[in-house]
Amino acid sequence: MTTTSRPTGKSLPTEGQPDDPAQAEAASGLPPLAWKPVTAVAAVLGLLLLATSGRWGYQGDELYFLGASEHLSWGYADNPPLLPLLAGAMDSLFGGSLVGLRLPSTILAATGTLFAALIARELGGETKAQLRTAVAWAAVPLVMIVGHALSASTVDLFAWTAVTWLLVAWVRRQDDRLLLWIALVSVVSMQAKYSIVFLWVAVGISALAVGPRRLLRRPMLWVGAAVVFATVIPGLLWQADHGWPQLHMADVFRRESAGPVAYVGVALFLAGLLLVVLSAHGLWQLLRSPDLRPYRFLGWSFVGLFVFFLVTGGRPTYVAGLFPLLWAAGAVRMQRGTPAKWWRWAVSWPVFGLVAALSIVTSLPVLPRSDDDPPVAGTDNNPQAAETVGWDDLVTAVEKATQSVPAGEREHAVIVTEYYTEAGALEHLGRGEDLPKVYSAHRGYWYFGGPSDDATTTIFVGSDREELLKRFSDVREAATTAGKGNAVAGTKVWICKGNRQPWSQMWPDMGHLY
């Protein structure tokens, strides 16, 4: 049987060769894994994330996940069930510790360093190539951002990286058991975020177009696909029963998109702007190099997905799981020759250090907090920082508004927030403040249900008086959140009475995803 050339000059295993993993690896001539330097990079990243994970405060989505954990379900309007389940478990296990809540993200980000290096190794990369890929992973804003907070993107990035390594390994070893591991990773990923489906569609189209077409003929691939599909059936049934809100979220993200220029700019920032040469060179090698011809379908998968999300208004984080592949391909190519002088500086170790330093300052809570406004330097122009401060001010404002309600009316009072993040903050951070029950008509919170008809006083967070007068006959301002430069600064808190309709009639029309 004809074999295909690979980077080190040896042969890729063919479908007729033995499937024993040990024999396959020995026959493939894989370079030794650079355990010590790669583990050291992973440890540094993990310790950095661990040291900063308790600073500043919760991100909005984390508060939502904690709120959703009180309403466990097979599905939610904007995400599958894994993150609420995980948030609730970590919050209970670590007694409300922010560090404990974020521990899974810390572990996944640090472990991803190893999988990024493994991709380089599978492509024939020796110690330097593996180390460059590992450092690229650990140094860029993307990994620091998703590693700092508990989010679906954290699981998604790790899963895409792991699947990419397994695909590269399968091409090289032809061990169909790897396809089952791919299915297992996809099972977990699909319970956090459905976006890995796009990866599989792109891989399938690319493999059909440029090979290896034999991948699509492997029975184990389709067995794995059946397993993945079976595990998402409960979530799909929930979506169908609630009008497929997950599909409508695509329109929300499209409306939130700042356009193609911002899409490209954010993608370059997340991937480490100064490392664009390494990424671009890696993509070029995947698409053009004869040595990497067996893996060309992955290069075209990246191109297809990047363009697709650019055109449809998706987020650059959706395709970020293929960045490690580009770094690995570029690093492996550097291993085989001295880079040209004009771009040699762009892949030098000082540049990696500069990228890491910039990433730390822009992506992690390392700046000091103070009593001044804004409480954290840079929050005026740093959404990452702005979303993690101000929640205590919100709780204080709502507590003040609650105290202004006569004691006899409080037992019939409820809190309704304009946005789901505010509801999560009040439910989680306001537990000890004796606040009324919290509701929100925004995104997933709307599906948790609305107030009962005997709720005659509403403490409404957000919106404006004109809009509220459409639903209540008496609306007065009770408080305004303090602070500056954060997501909830200046938010109005209203006391609303005189419901124009019972809540059971109002609530169905109040739900909004945007």
Side-chain angles (χ1 to χ4, degrees):
M1 181 177 291
T2 303
T3 57
T4 307
S5 62
R6 66 172 186 83
T8 58
K10 297 182 181 179
S11 299
L12 284 166
T14 62
E15 295 182 27
Q17 289 178 297
D19 284 338
D20 181 71
Q23 293 180 9
E25 182 169 334
S28 69
L30 281 171
L33 179 60
W35 278 106
K36 290 183 179 180
V38 170
T39 302
V41 173
V44 170
L45 174 62
L47 290 173
L48 175 64
L49 293 173
L50 193 64
T52 57
S53 61
R55 289 176 56 82
W56 294 0
Y58 292 90
Q59 285 193 335
D61 281 347
E62 291 176 316
L63 293 167
Y64 166 62
F65 294 142
L66 287 168
S69 71
E70 303 293 331
H71 306 270
L72 290 178
S73 173
W74 285 111
Y76 298 89
D78 40 11
N79 57 273
L82 178 60
L83 270 298
L85 183 63
L86 187 59
M90 300 306 290
D91 189 60
S92 298
L93 184 62
F94 290 97
S97 165
L98 186 56
V99 175
L101 176 70
R102 292 171 171 174
L103 188 59
S105 295
T106 300
I107 294 172
L108 287 178
T111 307
T113 309
L114 173 63
F115 282 90
L118 284 170
I119 295 174
R121 178 178 180 243
E122 286 293 339
L123 294 176
E126 297 178 358
T127 297
K128 285 186 177 180
Q130 295 175 37
L131 183 57
R132 273 196 175 93
T133 306
V135 172
W137 168 279
V140 298
L142 167 70
V143 175
M144 293 190 189
I145 290 172
V146 303
H148 173 64
L150 184 66
S151 72
S153 294
T154 311
V155 179
D156 203 45
L157 176 64
F158 178 84
W160 280 50
T161 302
V163 166
T164 302
W165 167 60
L166 290 166
L167 280 171
V168 172
W170 181 87
V171 171
R172 186 165 194 157
R173 307 179 192 189
Q174 297 294 294
D175 183 355
D176 283 358
R177 284 169 291 188
L178 294 171
L179 300 178
L180 277 183
W181 281 106
I182 288 174
L184 292 176
V185 174
S186 298
V187 163
V188 176
S189 181
M190 287 284 282
Q191 296 303 316
K193 199 172 183 179
Y194 293 128
S195 62
I196 201 168
V197 170
F198 293 105
L199 174 62
W200 283 115
V201 171
V203 165
I205 294 174
S206 299
L208 189 62
V210 301
R213 296 182 182 90
R214 63 185 180 278
L215 172 64
L216 304 179
R217 298 195 299 266
R218 308 309 296 168
M220 202 68 75
L221 177 71
W222 298 105
V223 170
V227 171
V228 174
F229 179 74
T231 62
V232 298
I233 287 177
L236 294 177
L237 291 175
W238 187 95
Q239 290 288 326
D241 190 47
H242 292 79
W244 299 99
Q246 188 80 55
L247 296 179
H248 297 302
M249 285 301 299
D251 293 329
V252 173
F253 296 146
R254 194 176 300 113
R255 293 175 65 182
E256 292 177 345
S257 172
V261 174
Y263 173 92
V264 174
V266 172
L268 293 177
F269 166 75
L270 293 175
L273 184 59
L274 297 180
L275 298 182
V276 64
V277 173
L278 180 65
S279 304
H281 190 63
L283 178 60
W284 178 258
Q285 292 299 315
L286 284 169
L287 298 180
R288 303 297 300 171
S289 172
D291 290 340
L292 296 179
R293 174 65 181 82
Y295 314 105
R296 189 160 297 168
F297 73 108
L298 292 173
W300 283 115
S301 295
F302 174 83
V303 172
L305 288 171
F306 190 88
V307 172
F308 175 77
F309 291 126
L310 174 68
V311 172
T312 59
R315 295 175 175 175
T317 51
Y318 294 170
V319 75
L322 289 174
F323 286 165
L325 173 69
L326 307 187
W327 299 327
V332 170
R333 180 63 184 89
M334 285 181 59
Q335 167 188 292
R336 300 191 200 116
T338 302
K341 291 182 179 180
W342 69 269
W343 68 275
R344 189 179 306 170
W345 64 271
V347 289
S348 63
W349 292 114
V351 168
F352 278 102
L354 181 59
V355 169
L358 292 174
S359 299
I360 290 171
V361 172
T362 59
S363 307
L364 293 178
V366 295
L367 299 175
R369 293 196 63 165
S370 70
D371 295 329
D372 300 327
D373 290 329
V376 177
T379 51
D380 284 331
N381 54 15
N382 185 344
Q384 183 73 6
E387 198 181 343
T388 61
V389 295
W391 302 118
D392 291 339
D393 294 332
L394 176 67
V395 174
T396 299
V398 173
E399 181 185 16
K400 176 183 176 182
T402 302
Q403 294 300 320
S404 72
V405 177
E409 297 179 12
R410 289 180 200 168
E411 63 181 50
H412 296 291
V414 294
I415 297 172
V416 179
T417 70
E418 185 175 11
Y419 298 112
Y420 71 103
T421 52
E422 298 163 341
L426 292 171
E427 276 202 311
H428 187 68
L429 301 177
R431 286 177 179 172
E433 306 300 336
D434 196 28
L435 297 177
K437 188 170 176 57
V438 180
Y439 301 89
S440 178
H442 189 213
R443 295 193 184 177
Y445 255 94
W446 179 74
Y447 294 87
F448 301 157
S452 62
D453 286 342
D454 63 357
T456 55
T457 299
T458 301
I459 302 168
F460 205 101
V461 180
S463 192
D464 57 66
R465 192 170 186 273
E466 288 71 21
E467 284 297 316
L468 292 174
L469 282 172
K470 297 176 182 178
R471 302 189 181 277
F472 309 95
S473 61
D474 181 11
V475 177
R476 67 177 177 86
E477 183 179 334
T480 302
T481 57
K484 180 182 177 183
N486 61 69
V488 294
T491 299
K492 302 289 186 181
V493 183
W494 312 86
I495 302 297
C496 305
K497 298 180 181 180
N499 297 13
R500 297 190 184 277
Q501 289 180 307
W503 274 110
S504 57
Q505 295 180 28
M506 273 199 293
W507 195 252
D509 296 329
M510 290 180 67
H512 61 107
L513 293 175
Y514 187 69

